[in-house]
Each structure stands twice: as C-alpha cells, then as structure tokens.
Amino acid sequence: MPAIEPCFVVEAAYAKDAAEKRKPHRDAHIGRLAMLNDEGAFLLGGAFDDLSASLMVFAVGSEEAVAAIVETDVYWKNKVWTSYKIRRLNRVVFEDA
C-alpha cells in the first residue's frame, strides 16, 4: 500500500523578459535548489517550455516555509518571477520507489 506524504507545489510566473533577466542569476538559483534537494526539501521542478512559469515541488512542513523559500530566491529578489501560487499536494509514495 502506498504512503501519502504532504508536499507543496509552487507555480511561479516569469516576467516577460525572463529569458534574459534570469541569466545572471541562474547559477545561484540552481545551486540553491541543489542544496535544498540535498536536504530533502526540493523534490522536483523546472520551467515550462514557453517560459511562462516554473513549477516546483517542496517537501517542507508548511505553506509559510515554502513562501520563505520562494521569497528568498534570487529569481524573486530580482523580479525574474513576478508572482507565485502555492498549493498543498498529497503525494502518493510507493515503498519500492
């Protein structure tokens, strides 16, 4: 029987000029996600092909913790992302996975 683990999904909208705007901040952004991944907080993520938004999934304790992660990211601080939405997701986890 699979386990149900709560996590949070973030959709962060990109600025219209995000392709250029994110370039100087990309390494820092990816580096931070790698650190969060190593800690078990970041499960997966990436940008939509049309660069309209990023989708990220976090395994942290609260929506407030997710908001703190987003709002301290270099993409947020430098207006690469213009808005975000957080939703709780009940993730199905199979023991064999």
Side-chain angles (χ1 to χ4, degrees):
M1 190 71 172
I4 303 297
E5 295 180 1
C7 61
F8 295 90
V9 177
V10 177
E11 185 172 338
Y14 277 117
K16 292 199 183 299
D17 56 348
E20 287 302 315
K21 201 171 204 173
R22 73 179 184 165
K23 284 181 183 179
H25 310 292
R26 188 162 169 71
D27 287 344
H29 169 71
I30 297 297
R32 182 160 185 253
L33 290 177
M35 179 195 70
L36 291 167
N37 181 72
D38 291 346
E39 295 171 357
F42 177 72
L43 300 178
L44 67 95
F48 290 110
D49 199 38
D50 64 358
L51 279 183
S52 60
S54 287
L55 186 75
M56 298 164 284
V57 181
F58 294 96
V60 296
S62 68
E63 186 173 324
E64 293 78 17
V66 177
I69 290 170
V70 171
E71 291 180 9
T72 56
D73 190 282
V74 294
Y75 278 13
W76 182 257
K77 289 180 175 182
N78 291 283
K79 298 181 178 24
V80 177
W81 290 329
T82 58
S83 64
Y84 66 90
K85 181 178 182 178
I86 300 171
R87 296 183 70 185
R88 184 181 166 122
L89 174 71
N90 295 313
R91 180 172 71 127
V92 176
V93 179
F94 295 94
E95 292 181 26
D96 295 342

